[in-house]
Amino acid sequence: FMPEGGKVLEIRFRGDKHNNCYFSLASAMRHEYWYLQADPEKGLDTHAGNVRLDPEELDRVLKDMEEAGKA
């Protein structure tokens, strides 16, 4: 429901090269796509598991997303 040209941030499992559905959807809708890699806390369920991510990396990617909108 986001208008064309929005920004998407996906938090994805580190090393996951197979689950690209959010990238594909963002591309089809002409959204900017960004991602942040995270480690699963336990289990490997990419849709229901908890993840652990680096808060400094989160800050960096959010700043990059914000700066990209100003260019």
Side-chain angles (χ1 to χ4, degrees):
F1 298 103
M2 183 172 19
E4 185 176 302
K7 296 181 183 185
V8 174
L9 172 61
E10 177 183 9
I11 297 174
R12 54 186 296 150
F13 282 179
R14 189 174 313 282
D16 180 2
K17 294 182 171 109
H18 301 290
N19 296 305
N20 295 311
C21 59
Y22 295 109
F23 169 77
S24 297
L25 285 168
S27 295
M29 298 303 297
R30 296 191 173 119
H31 296 320
E32 289 182 35
Y33 173 83
W34 300 78
Y35 69 93
L36 180 64
Q37 295 185 356
D39 298 306
E41 216 168 68
K42 64 173 134 171
L44 295 175
D45 186 343
T46 58
H47 297 102
N50 292 327
V51 296
R52 185 174 300 131
L53 54 85
D54 182 339
E56 291 176 4
E57 284 294 307
L58 177 60
D59 283 343
R60 181 196 56 77
V61 76
L62 291 173
K63 285 178 186 171
D64 288 349
M65 290 172 72
E66 184 178 8
E67 289 299 316
K70 295 177 182 176

